[in-house]
C-alpha cells in the first residue's frame, strides 16, 4: 500500500488527542491515567475488540475546580489552544512538510503562543512535530465534519481562526531544562495571560443551541486576567518539547511522557522499531508478546511514526514490568489465530476471524480453552475444560436490537413523561443498532507499512473506532431526544 506518512528522523509523532491537560494544584500537568504506566503498551492489542472499518457511507435504516494562580493559567491557555485544534479543523492542506521547527525549546513555545494569540490555529498546529501535526490534522478534519453534520458546530467553524475566543500573552518569561539531546522541559516563569470569550461569536450549531435551550443553559461572555508568579520548582507545570531535523517543537505526547517519567532517569537509548512481515503478523506477534509480558517486543511493533514516544520511553516500561516480577506462566496463550486484513481510511485494518486461547489452572492443572469465531455480524464463544465443551454462546447485532424490542410493550401511563422519554430513547437506540446491522463491520486493529515492515498503530485504532461509531448517529436522533 502507499505510505503517505513520512519517516521522521528522530521525530516525535502523533497520538490520538488526549483529554485536555489538567493543571493540578501542584501545577503538574496530569498524564492520562486510564492505563497504568507499566502496562500502557498493552493498549494497542487491547483495542482489538473495538469495531471499525473504512469511513464508507452508511445505509439508512428505518426503525419503528480551577488551578492555582500563576503558571497554571498560562499552561491551561496553551493546552486549551492546542486542544481547540481538534474542534476547529477543516479539510484543508497544511504545510505538514514545511520547515517549522524553532531554534530552541523556548522559541518553540513562544511560536505556539504567537499563533494562539493571533488566532492562527493552523499556525499553532504547525509548531508540533511532523508526525503529531499530521495525525491531529486528520483528526481535526473528521471532527469538524462530524460536528457540523450533527449540528454541534455551525458552518462558520474554521481552522484558520476560532471566532469568539481571544487569548493574549504579555511579558512572558521562561526557562528550559534539557532532558536529552532531543527532549527539553520548558517552564513559564513570569508574565500574564488574558482570555476573552464572546458568546455571540462562537460557532454554535443549531442542534447544540437547541440542546442548551433544552437544559436551560446559556452562554455568557467571559473575561479573565492572570498574572504568572515565579516558581523555583521547575519540575512543576512544564511543557514538553522535542527536537527533530526541523528544529524544536511543542509536543503533547512528550509533555505527557515527561510528566509520567517524573524524576526517573531518561532512557539512554530508544527501543528500535522492528516490524513484522504482514499486517496479520504484526498484530499476532504483538498479542503473543503481550501475553508473554515481553514489553520490549510490544514496543518494537508500535508504529514508529505515530508512536515515537513509546520507542523513546519504552525502556522505562520494560524496567517497570521487570521490577514488578511478573510471572506470565499461567496467563492465557494463543493456540490458534486466524486474522483478516482490509484497507481502511486510517491504515490496514486487521480483524479477528478466529482465535483460540488456552490456559492452565494453577490449582489443579486443568486445561481451559476458549474459542472466539466471527461469522458475518455474529460471534460465537465456546468454552472447554480438559477437552469437554462446557458452554457455547452466539451473539449477533440483532440480539442487541432485541434488548430494546423486548423490553416491555412500550405502553406509558398518561402523563408519565419519564416513560415517554425512555421510549423515545429506545427508538433511537433501535435505529442506531439497525444501521449497524445493515452495515456490519469487523473488529480490528489498524496497522501501517513503513519501509517494508508492518506495525500496529494504537492511536489510529482508537480514533477510527470512535469515528466509526459517530457515523451511526444521525442529527435526527439527537433532535428526537430533545423533543421528548
Amino acid at each position: 500500500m502507499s505510505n503517505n506518512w513520512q519517516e521522521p528522523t528522530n521525530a516525535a509523532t502523533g497520538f490520538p488527542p488526549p483529554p485536555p491537560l489538567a493543571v493540578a494544584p501542584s501545577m503538574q500537568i496530569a498524564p492520562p491515567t486510564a492505563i497504568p504506566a507499566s502496562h500502557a503498551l498493552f493498549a494497542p492489542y487491547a483495542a482489538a475488540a473495538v469495531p471499525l472499518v473504512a469511513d464508507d457511507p452508511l445505509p439508512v435504516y428505518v426503525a419503528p475546580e480551577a488551578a492555582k494562580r500563576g503558571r497554571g493559567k498560562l499552561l491551561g491557555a496553551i493546552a486549551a489552544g492546542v486542544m481547540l485544534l481538534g474542534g476547529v479543523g477543516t479539510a484543508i492542506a497544511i504545510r505538514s512538510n514545511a520547515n517549522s521547527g524553532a531554534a530552541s525549546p523556548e522559541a518553540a513555545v513562544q511560536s505556539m503562543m504567537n499563533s494562539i494569540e493571533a488566532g492562527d490555529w493552523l499556525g499553532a498546529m504547525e509548531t508540533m512535530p511532523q508526525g503529531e501535526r499530521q495525525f491531529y490534522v486528520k483528526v481535526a478534519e473528521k471532527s469538524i465534519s462530524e460536528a457540523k453534520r450533527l449540528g454541534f458546530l455551525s458552518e462558520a467553524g474554521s481552522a484558520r481562526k476560532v471566532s469568539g475566543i481571544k487569548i493574549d500573552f504579555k511579558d512572558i518569561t521562561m526557562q528550559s531544562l534539557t532532558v536529552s539531546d532531543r527532549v527539553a522541559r520548558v517552564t513559564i516563569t513570569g508574565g500574564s495571560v488574558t482570555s476573552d470569550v464572546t458568546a455571540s461569536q462562537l460557532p454554535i450549531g443549531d442542534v447544540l443551541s437547541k440542546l442548551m435551550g433544552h437544559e436551560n443553559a446559556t452562554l455568557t461572555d467571559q473575561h479573565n486576567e492572570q498574572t504568572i508568579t515565579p516558581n523555583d520548582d521547575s519540575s512543576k507545570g512544564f511543557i514538553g518539547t522535542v527536537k527533530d531535523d526541523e528544529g524544536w517543537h511543542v509536543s503533547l505526547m512528550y509533555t505527557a511522557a515527561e510528566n509520567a517519567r517524573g524524576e526517573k532517569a531518561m532512557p539512554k537509548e530508544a527501543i528500535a522499531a522492528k516490524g513484522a512481515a504482514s499486517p496479520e503478523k504484526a498484530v499476532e506477534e504483538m498479542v503473543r508478546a503481550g501475553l508473554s509480558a515481553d514489553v520490549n517486543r510490544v514496543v518494537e511493533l508500535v508504529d514508529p511514526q505515530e508512536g515515537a514516544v513509546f520507542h523513546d520511553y519504552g525502556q522505562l516500561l520494560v524496567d517497570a514490568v521487570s521490577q514488578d516480577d511478573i510471572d506470565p506462566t499461567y496467563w492465557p496463550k494463543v493456540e490458534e489465530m486466524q486474522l483478516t486484513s482490509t484497507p481502511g481510511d486510517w491504515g490496514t485494518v486487521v480483524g479477528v476471524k478466529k482465535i483460540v486461547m488456552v490456559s492452565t489452572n494453577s490449582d489443579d492443572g486443568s486445561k481451559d480453552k476458549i474459542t472466539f469465531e466471527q461469522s458475518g455480524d455474529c460471534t460465537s464463544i465456546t468454552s472447554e475444560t480438559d477437552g469437554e465443551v462446557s458452554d457455547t454462546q452466539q451473539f449477533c447485532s440483532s440480539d442487541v436490537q432485541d434488548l430494546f424490542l423486548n423490553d416491555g410493550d412500550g405502553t406509558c401511563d398518561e402523563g408519565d413523561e419519564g416513560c415517554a422519554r425512555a421510549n423515545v430513547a429506545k427508538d433511537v437506540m433501535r435505529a442506531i443498532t439497525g444501521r449497524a446491522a445493515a452495515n456490519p463491520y469487523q473488529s480490528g486493529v489498524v496497522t501501517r507499512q513503513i519501509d517494508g515492515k508492518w506495525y500496529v498503530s494504537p492511536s489510529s485504532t482508537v480514533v477510527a473506532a470512535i469515528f466509526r461509531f459517530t457515523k451511526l448517529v444521525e442529527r435526527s436522533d439527537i433532535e428526537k431526544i430533545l423533543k421528548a
Side-chain angles (χ1 to χ4, degrees), residues 167-184:
I167 299 175
D168 291 306
F169 304 103
K170 185 177 180 181
D171 300 327
I172 299 299
T173 59
M174 62 188 86
Q175 63 184 25
S176 64
L177 174 66
T178 300
V179 173
S180 70
D181 59 348
R182 297 188 57 235
V183 180

Side-chain angles (χ1 to χ4, degrees), residues 365-388:
S366 60
K367 300 288 185 181
D368 294 322
K369 178 185 292 188
I370 184 167
T371 301
F372 299 87
E373 191 161 8
Q374 186 79 17
S375 178
D377 67 339
C378 295
T379 301
S380 63
I381 305 174
T382 303
S383 302
E384 301 177 41
T385 300
D386 288 336
E388 294 186 6

Side-chain angles (χ1 to χ4, degrees), residues 212-467:
M212 291 188 297
H214 186 270
E215 299 296 330
N216 295 318
T218 57
L219 291 174
T220 59
D221 292 351
Q222 300 289 328
H223 175 79
N224 182 67
E225 298 180 12
Q226 191 64 54
T227 300
I228 301 121
T229 55
N231 190 323
D232 293 333
D233 189 352
S234 62
S235 67
K236 298 179 180 179
F238 59 81
I239 300 166
T241 61
V242 64
K243 185 181 182 181
D244 60 18
D245 285 350
E246 297 175 348
W248 287 93
H249 307 268
V250 173
S251 169
L252 289 176
M253 291 302 102
Y254 280 80
T255 297
E258 272 301 290
N259 275 280
R261 182 178 70 83
E263 300 305 314
K264 296 178 183 178
M266 181 74 180
K268 294 182 179 179
E269 293 184 2
I271 295 178
K274 295 181 181 179
S278 68
E280 296 86 353
K281 281 295 183 182
V283 173
E284 180 177 353
E285 289 182 27
M286 178 170 280
V287 171
R288 291 184 183 277
L291 293 175
S292 300
D294 185 356
V295 180
N296 192 85
R297 182 57 182 147
V298 172
V299 176
E300 290 177 344
L301 288 163
V302 173
D303 183 332
Q305 296 176 347
E306 188 174 280
V309 71
F310 281 103
H311 292 274
D312 282 346
Y313 290 81
Q315 189 59 47
L316 293 177
L317 300 180
V318 173
D319 294 343
V321 172
S322 176
Q323 291 169 6
D324 287 343
D325 196 24
I326 294 176
D327 182 6
T329 301
Y330 294 103
W331 288 10
K333 305 297 180 186
V334 177
E335 182 179 89
E336 179 184 355
M337 183 177 285
Q338 297 179 19
L339 303 174
T340 61
S341 61
T342 307
D345 188 44
W346 294 84
T348 297
V349 181
V350 176
V352 176
K353 183 177 181 182
K354 181 180 180 180
I355 182 169
V356 181
M357 308 289 292
V358 295
S359 60
T360 302
N361 191 305
S362 59
D363 295 326
D364 58 15
S366 60
K367 300 288 185 181
D368 294 322
K369 178 185 292 188
I370 184 167
T371 301
F372 299 87
E373 191 161 8
Q374 186 79 17
S375 178
D377 67 339
C378 295
T379 301
S380 63
I381 305 174
T382 303
S383 302
E384 301 177 41
T385 300
D386 288 336
E388 294 186 6
V389 176
S390 57
D391 186 44
T392 298
Q393 298 183 35
Q394 179 171 280
F395 301 93
C396 303
S397 58
S398 58
D399 297 326
V400 180
Q401 272 199 298
D402 289 342
L403 293 176
F404 301 105
L405 292 170
N406 298 330
D407 186 12
D409 59 7
T411 302
C412 297
D413 294 333
E414 185 176 353
D416 190 343
E417 296 181 358
C419 176
R421 285 194 294 269
N423 281 340
V424 171
K426 291 175 185 177
D427 286 341
V428 170
M429 289 305 299
R430 280 196 293 267
I432 292 174
T433 55
R435 294 179 199 124
N439 189 72
Y441 51 89
Q442 68 182 105
S443 300
V445 177
V446 175
T447 62
R448 187 172 291 115
Q449 188 179 36
I450 300 171
D451 291 340
K453 294 293 183 179
W454 288 89
Y455 299 88
V456 171
S457 303
S459 53
S460 288
T461 297
V462 174
V463 297
I466 292 172
F467 284 117

Side-chain angles (χ1 to χ4, degrees), residues 55-80:
D55 293 322
D56 48 349
L58 291 169
V60 176
Y61 173 81
V62 180
E65 163 177 26
K68 284 184 180 180
R69 77 185 187 92
R71 289 177 294 145
K73 288 291 184 179
L74 176 58
L75 292 170
I78 295 175

